Coordinates of all heavy atoms in Angstrom, one line a residue:
Chain A
F720 N -47.9 0.3 -19.9 CA -47.0 1.5 -20.0 C -46.9 1.9 -21.4 O -46.8 1.1 -22.3 CB -45.7 1.2 -19.4 CG -45.6 1.2 -17.9 CD1 -46.2 0.2 -17.1 CD2 -44.9 2.2 -17.2 CE1 -46.2 0.2 -15.8 CE2 -44.8 2.2 -15.9 CZ -45.4 1.2 -15.1
P721 N -46.9 3.3 -21.7 CA -46.7 3.7 -23.1 C -45.4 3.1 -23.6 O -44.4 3.1 -22.9 CB -46.6 5.2 -23.0 CG -47.2 5.6 -21.6 CD -47.0 4.4 -20.7
E722 N -45.4 2.8 -24.9 CA -44.2 2.2 -25.6 C -43.0 3.0 -25.3 O -41.9 2.5 -25.1 CB -44.6 2.1 -27.1 CG -43.4 1.8 -28.0 CD -42.9 0.3 -27.8 OE1 -43.7 -0.5 -27.4 OE2 -41.7 0.1 -28.1
E723 N -43.1 4.4 -25.4 CA -42.0 5.3 -25.3 C -41.4 5.2 -23.9 O -40.2 5.2 -23.7 CB -42.5 6.7 -25.6 CG -41.9 7.8 -25.0 CD -43.0 8.8 -24.5 OE1 -44.2 8.7 -24.9 OE2 -42.6 9.8 -23.8
K724 N -42.2 5.0 -22.8 CA -41.7 4.9 -21.5 C -41.0 3.5 -21.3 O -40.0 3.4 -20.6 CB -42.9 5.0 -20.5 CG -43.6 6.3 -20.5 CD -42.7 7.4 -20.0 CE -43.5 8.7 -19.9 NZ -42.7 9.9 -19.5
R725 N -41.5 2.5 -21.9 CA -40.9 1.2 -21.8 C -39.5 1.2 -22.4 O -38.6 0.7 -21.9 CB -41.7 0.1 -22.5 CG -42.9 -0.3 -21.7 CD -43.6 -1.4 -22.5 NE -44.8 -0.9 -23.2 CZ -45.3 -1.5 -24.2 NH1 -44.8 -2.6 -24.7 NH2 -46.4 -1.0 -24.8
Q726 N -39.4 1.9 -23.6 CA -38.1 2.0 -24.2 C -37.1 2.8 -23.4 O -35.9 2.5 -23.3 CB -38.3 2.6 -25.6 CG -38.8 1.6 -26.6 CD -38.9 2.2 -28.0 OE1 -38.5 3.3 -28.2 NE2 -39.5 1.5 -28.9
L727 N -37.7 3.9 -22.8 CA -36.9 4.8 -22.0 C -36.3 4.0 -20.8 O -35.2 4.1 -20.4 CB -37.7 5.9 -21.5 CG -37.1 7.2 -21.0 CD1 -36.1 7.8 -22.1 CD2 -38.1 8.3 -20.7
F728 N -37.2 3.2 -20.2 CA -36.8 2.3 -19.1 C -35.6 1.4 -19.4 O -34.6 1.3 -18.6 CB -38.0 1.5 -18.6 CG -37.7 0.6 -17.4 CD1 -37.4 1.0 -16.2 CD2 -37.7 -0.8 -17.7 CE1 -37.2 0.2 -15.1 CE2 -37.4 -1.7 -16.6 CZ -37.1 -1.2 -15.3
F729 N -35.6 0.8 -20.5 CA -34.6 -0.2 -20.9 C -33.3 0.5 -21.5 O -32.3 -0.1 -21.7 CB -35.1 -1.3 -21.8 CG -35.9 -2.3 -21.1 CD1 -37.3 -2.3 -21.3 CD2 -35.4 -3.1 -20.2 CE1 -38.1 -3.3 -20.7 CE2 -36.2 -4.0 -19.4 CZ -37.5 -4.1 -19.7
S730 N -33.5 1.8 -21.9 CA -32.3 2.4 -22.5 C -31.6 3.5 -21.6 O -30.6 4.0 -22.0 CB -32.8 3.1 -23.8 OG -33.7 4.1 -23.6
S731 N -32.2 3.7 -20.5 CA -31.6 4.8 -19.6 C -30.8 4.2 -18.5 O -30.8 3.1 -18.1 CB -32.7 5.6 -19.0 OG -33.6 6.1 -20.0
T732 N -30.0 5.1 -17.9 CA -29.2 4.8 -16.7 C -29.9 5.5 -15.5 O -30.2 6.6 -15.5 CB -27.7 5.2 -16.8 OG1 -27.2 4.6 -18.0 CG2 -26.9 4.8 -15.6
F733 N -30.1 4.7 -14.5 CA -30.7 5.2 -13.2 C -29.7 5.2 -12.2 O -28.6 4.5 -12.3 CB -31.9 4.4 -12.8 CG -33.1 4.4 -13.7 CD1 -33.1 3.5 -14.8 CD2 -34.1 5.3 -13.6 CE1 -34.1 3.5 -15.7 CE2 -35.2 5.3 -14.5 CZ -35.2 4.4 -15.6
K734 N -29.9 5.9 -11.1 CA -29.0 5.9 -10.0 C -29.7 5.5 -8.7 O -30.8 6.0 -8.4 CB -28.4 7.4 -9.8 CG -27.1 7.5 -10.4 CD -26.4 8.8 -10.0 CE -25.1 9.0 -10.8 NZ -24.5 10.3 -10.6
V735 N -29.0 4.7 -7.9 CA -29.6 4.3 -6.6 C -29.7 5.6 -5.7 O -28.7 6.3 -5.6 CB -28.7 3.2 -5.9 CG1 -29.3 2.9 -4.5 CG2 -28.7 2.0 -6.7
S736 N -30.9 5.9 -5.2 CA -31.0 7.1 -4.3 C -30.7 6.8 -2.9 O -30.2 5.7 -2.6 CB -32.5 7.6 -4.4 OG -33.3 6.8 -3.5
N737 N -30.8 7.8 -2.1 CA -30.5 7.6 -0.6 C -31.6 6.7 0.0 O -31.4 6.2 1.1 CB -30.4 8.9 0.1 CG -29.2 9.7 -0.3 OD1 -28.2 9.1 -0.6 ND2 -29.3 11.0 -0.4
R738 N -32.7 6.6 -0.6 CA -33.8 5.8 0.0 C -33.6 4.3 -0.5 O -34.2 3.9 -1.5 CB -35.1 6.3 -0.4 CG -35.4 7.6 0.4 CD -36.5 8.5 -0.2 NE -37.8 7.8 -0.4 CZ -38.5 7.9 -1.5 NH1 -38.2 8.8 -2.4 NH2 -39.6 7.2 -1.6
C739 N -32.7 3.6 0.1 CA -32.5 2.2 -0.2 C -32.3 1.4 1.0 O -31.5 1.7 1.9 CB -31.4 2.0 -1.2 SG -29.8 2.6 -0.6
D740 N -33.2 0.4 1.2 CA -33.1 -0.4 2.5 C -33.7 -1.8 2.2 O -33.9 -2.1 1.0 CB -33.8 0.3 3.6 CG -35.3 0.5 3.3 OD1 -35.9 -0.1 2.4 OD2 -35.9 1.4 4.0
R741 N -33.9 -2.6 3.2 CA -34.4 -3.9 3.0 C -35.8 -4.0 2.4 O -36.2 -5.0 1.9 CB -34.4 -4.7 4.3 CG -32.9 -5.0 4.8 CD -33.0 -5.9 6.1 NE -33.9 -7.0 5.9 CZ -33.7 -8.2 5.4 NH1 -32.4 -8.5 5.0 NH2 -34.6 -9.1 5.3
M742 N -36.5 -2.9 2.5 CA -37.9 -2.9 1.9 C -37.8 -2.7 0.4 O -38.5 -3.3 -0.4 CB -38.6 -1.7 2.5 CG -40.1 -1.8 2.4 SD -40.9 -0.6 3.4 CE -42.6 -0.6 2.8
G743 N -37.0 -1.8 -0.1 CA -36.8 -1.5 -1.5 C -35.8 -0.5 -1.8 O -35.3 0.2 -0.9
Y744 N -35.4 -0.4 -3.1 CA -34.4 0.5 -3.6 C -35.1 1.5 -4.5 O -35.6 1.1 -5.5 CB -33.3 -0.2 -4.4 CG -32.1 -0.7 -3.6 CD1 -32.3 -1.4 -2.4 CD2 -30.8 -0.3 -4.0 CE1 -31.2 -1.8 -1.6 CE2 -29.7 -0.7 -3.2 CZ -29.9 -1.4 -2.1 OH -28.8 -1.8 -1.3
C745 N -35.1 2.8 -4.1 CA -35.7 3.8 -5.0 C -34.5 4.3 -5.9 O -33.4 4.6 -5.5 CB -36.2 5.0 -4.1 SG -37.4 4.6 -3.0
L746 N -34.9 4.4 -7.2 CA -33.9 4.8 -8.2 C -34.3 6.2 -8.7 O -35.5 6.6 -8.8 CB -33.8 3.8 -9.3 CG -33.6 2.4 -8.9 CD1 -33.7 1.4 -10.1 CD2 -32.3 2.2 -8.1
N747 N -33.3 7.0 -9.1 CA -33.5 8.3 -9.8 C -33.1 8.2 -11.2 O -32.1 7.6 -11.6 CB -32.7 9.4 -9.1 CG -33.2 9.7 -7.7 OD1 -32.5 9.9 -6.8 ND2 -34.5 9.6 -7.5
G748 N -33.9 8.8 -12.1 CA -33.6 8.8 -13.5 C -34.7 9.4 -14.3 O -35.5 10.2 -13.7
P749 N -34.8 9.2 -15.6 CA -35.9 9.8 -16.4 C -37.3 9.3 -15.9 O -37.4 8.2 -15.3 CB -35.6 9.3 -17.8 CG -34.7 8.1 -17.6 CD -34.0 8.3 -16.4
D750 N -38.3 10.1 -16.1 CA -39.7 9.8 -15.7 C -40.2 8.6 -16.6 O -40.3 8.8 -17.8 CB -40.5 11.1 -15.9 CG -42.0 10.9 -15.6 OD1 -42.4 9.7 -15.5 OD2 -42.7 11.9 -15.4
V751 N -40.5 7.5 -16.0 CA -41.1 6.4 -16.7 C -42.5 6.0 -16.3 O -42.9 4.9 -16.3 CB -40.1 5.1 -16.7 CG1 -38.9 5.3 -17.4 CG2 -39.8 4.7 -15.2
S752 N -43.2 7.1 -15.8 CA -44.5 6.9 -15.3 C -45.5 6.3 -16.3 O -45.3 6.5 -17.5 CB -45.1 8.2 -14.7 OG -45.1 9.2 -15.7
S753 N -46.5 5.6 -15.9 CA -47.4 4.8 -16.7 C -48.5 5.6 -17.2 O -49.1 5.3 -18.3 CB -47.9 3.6 -16.0 OG -48.6 4.1 -14.8
G754 N -49.0 6.6 -16.5 CA -50.2 7.3 -16.8 C -51.4 6.6 -16.3 O -52.6 7.1 -16.5
I755 N -51.2 5.4 -15.8 CA -52.4 4.6 -15.2 C -52.8 5.3 -13.9 O -52.0 5.6 -13.0 CB -52.0 3.2 -14.9 CG1 -51.5 2.5 -16.1 CG2 -53.2 2.4 -14.3 CD1 -50.8 1.1 -15.9
S756 N -54.1 5.7 -13.9 CA -54.4 6.6 -12.7 C -54.7 5.8 -11.4 O -54.1 6.1 -10.4 CB -55.7 7.4 -13.1 OG -56.7 6.6 -13.5
S757 N -55.5 4.8 -11.5 CA -55.8 4.0 -10.3 C -55.7 2.6 -10.6 O -56.0 2.1 -11.6 CB -57.1 4.4 -9.7 OG -58.1 3.9 -10.5
L758 N -55.3 1.8 -9.5 CA -55.1 0.4 -9.7 C -55.5 -0.2 -8.3 O -55.2 0.3 -7.3 CB -53.6 0.2 -9.9 CG -53.1 -1.2 -10.4 CD1 -53.6 -1.3 -11.8 CD2 -51.6 -1.1 -10.5
L759 N -56.3 -1.3 -8.4 CA -56.7 -1.9 -7.1 C -55.4 -2.5 -6.6 O -54.6 -3.1 -7.3 CB -57.7 -3.0 -7.4 CG -59.1 -2.6 -7.8 CD1 -59.9 -3.9 -8.2 CD2 -59.7 -2.0 -6.5
S760 N -55.2 -2.5 -5.2 CA -54.0 -3.1 -4.6 C -54.0 -4.6 -5.0 O -54.9 -5.2 -5.0 CB -54.1 -2.9 -3.1 OG -53.8 -1.6 -2.7
E761 N -52.7 -5.0 -5.3 CA -52.5 -6.4 -5.7 C -51.2 -6.9 -5.1 O -50.4 -6.1 -4.6 CB -52.4 -6.5 -7.2 CG -51.2 -5.7 -7.7 CD -51.2 -5.5 -9.3 OE1 -52.1 -6.0 -10.0 OE2 -50.2 -4.9 -9.7
G762 N -51.0 -8.2 -5.0 CA -49.8 -8.8 -4.5 C -48.6 -8.4 -5.2 O -48.6 -8.2 -6.4
I763 N -47.5 -8.2 -4.4 CA -46.2 -7.7 -5.0 C -45.2 -8.8 -4.8 O -44.9 -9.2 -3.7 CB -45.7 -6.5 -4.3 CG1 -46.8 -5.3 -4.3 CG2 -44.4 -5.9 -4.8 CD1 -46.5 -4.2 -3.4
C764 N -44.5 -9.2 -5.9 CA -43.6 -10.3 -5.8 C -42.2 -9.7 -5.6 O -41.9 -8.5 -5.8 CB -43.5 -11.2 -7.0 SG -43.0 -10.5 -8.5
L765 N -41.2 -10.5 -5.2 CA -39.8 -10.1 -4.9 C -39.3 -9.5 -6.2 O -39.4 -10.0 -7.3 CB -39.0 -11.3 -4.5 CG -37.5 -11.0 -4.3 CD1 -37.3 -10.0 -3.1 CD2 -36.7 -12.3 -4.1
G766 N -38.6 -8.3 -6.1 CA -38.0 -7.7 -7.2 C -38.9 -6.9 -8.1 O -38.4 -6.3 -9.1
A767 N -40.2 -6.8 -7.7 CA -41.2 -6.0 -8.6 C -40.7 -4.6 -8.7 O -40.2 -4.0 -7.8 CB -42.5 -6.1 -7.9
V768 N -40.7 -4.1 -10.0 CA -40.3 -2.7 -10.2 C -41.6 -1.9 -10.3 O -42.3 -1.9 -11.3 CB -39.6 -2.6 -11.6 CG1 -39.1 -1.2 -11.8 CG2 -38.4 -3.6 -11.6
Q769 N -41.9 -1.2 -9.2 CA -43.1 -0.4 -9.2 C -42.8 1.1 -9.6 O -41.7 1.6 -9.2 CB -43.9 -0.5 -8.0 CG -43.3 0.2 -6.8 CD -44.2 0.2 -5.6 OE1 -45.1 -0.7 -5.4 NE2 -44.0 1.1 -4.6
V770 N -43.7 1.7 -10.2 CA -43.5 3.1 -10.7 C -44.6 4.0 -10.2 O -45.7 4.0 -10.7 CB -43.4 3.2 -12.2 CG1 -43.0 4.6 -12.6 CG2 -42.4 2.2 -12.8
P771 N -44.3 4.7 -9.1 CA -45.3 5.7 -8.6 C -45.5 6.9 -9.5 O -44.8 7.0 -10.5 CB -44.7 6.2 -7.2 CG -43.5 5.4 -7.0 CD -43.1 4.8 -8.3
P772 N -46.5 7.7 -9.3 CA -46.8 8.8 -10.3 C -45.6 9.7 -10.6 O -45.6 10.3 -11.6 CB -47.9 9.6 -9.6 CG -48.6 8.6 -8.6 CD -47.5 7.7 -8.2
D773 N -44.6 9.8 -9.7 CA -43.4 10.6 -10.0 C -42.5 10.0 -11.0 O -41.5 10.7 -11.4 CB -42.7 11.0 -8.7 CG -42.0 9.8 -8.1 OD1 -42.1 8.7 -8.6 OD2 -41.4 9.9 -7.0
G774 N -42.8 8.8 -11.5 CA -42.1 8.2 -12.6 C -40.7 7.6 -12.2 O -40.0 7.2 -13.1
Q775 N -40.4 7.6 -10.9 CA -39.1 7.1 -10.5 C -39.3 5.6 -10.0 O -40.0 5.4 -9.0 CB -38.5 8.0 -9.3 CG -38.4 9.4 -9.8 CD -37.4 9.6 -10.9 OE1 -36.2 9.5 -10.6 NE2 -37.8 9.8 -12.1
P776 N -38.6 4.7 -10.6 CA -38.9 3.3 -10.2 C -38.3 2.9 -8.9 O -37.4 3.4 -8.4 CB -38.2 2.5 -11.4 CG -37.2 3.4 -12.0 CD -37.7 4.8 -11.7
I777 N -39.0 1.9 -8.2 CA -38.6 1.4 -7.0 C -38.6 -0.2 -7.2 O -39.5 -0.8 -7.6 CB -39.6 1.7 -5.8 CG1 -39.8 3.2 -5.8 CG2 -39.1 1.1 -4.5 CD1 -41.0 3.6 -4.8
V778 N -37.4 -0.8 -6.8 CA -37.3 -2.2 -6.9 C -37.6 -2.8 -5.5 O -36.9 -2.4 -4.5 CB -35.8 -2.6 -7.3 CG1 -35.7 -4.2 -7.3 CG2 -35.5 -2.0 -8.6
L779 N -38.6 -3.6 -5.3 CA -39.1 -4.0 -4.0 C -38.4 -5.2 -3.6 O -38.2 -6.2 -4.4 CB -40.6 -4.1 -4.0 CG -41.2 -2.7 -4.1 CD1 -42.7 -2.8 -4.6 CD2 -41.2 -2.0 -2.8
L780 N -37.9 -5.2 -2.4 CA -37.1 -6.4 -1.9 C -37.8 -7.1 -0.7 O -39.0 -7.0 -0.6 CB -35.7 -5.8 -1.4 CG -34.9 -5.0 -2.5 CD1 -33.6 -4.6 -2.0 CD2 -34.7 -6.0 -3.7
N781 N -37.0 -7.9 0.0 CA -37.5 -8.9 1.0 C -38.5 -8.3 2.0 O -39.5 -9.0 2.4 CB -36.4 -9.5 1.7 CG -35.4 -10.2 0.8 OD1 -35.0 -9.6 -0.2 ND2 -35.0 -11.4 1.1

Side-chain angles (χ1 to χ4, degrees):
Chain A
F720 278 70
E722 170 69 26
E723 150 223 351
K724 298 289 186 185
R725 283 184 259 156
Q726 283 182 7
L727 201 56
F728 176 70
F729 286 112
S730 61
S731 306
T732 303
F733 295 86
K734 263 189 181 173
V735 174
S736 80
N737 290 325
R738 285 159 58 216
C739 57
D740 57 22
R741 287 188 45 90
M742 198 171 167
Y744 267 52
C745 300
L746 307 177
N747 291 141
D750 178 344
V751 291
S752 56
S753 62
I755 302 168
S756 56
S757 73
L758 197 64
L759 286 171
S760 283
E761 62 187 3
I763 304 172
C764 70
L765 178 66
V768 182
Q769 73 172 22
V770 185
D773 68 2
Q775 303 295 287
I777 305 171
V778 181
L779 290 160
L780 303 181
N781 303 42

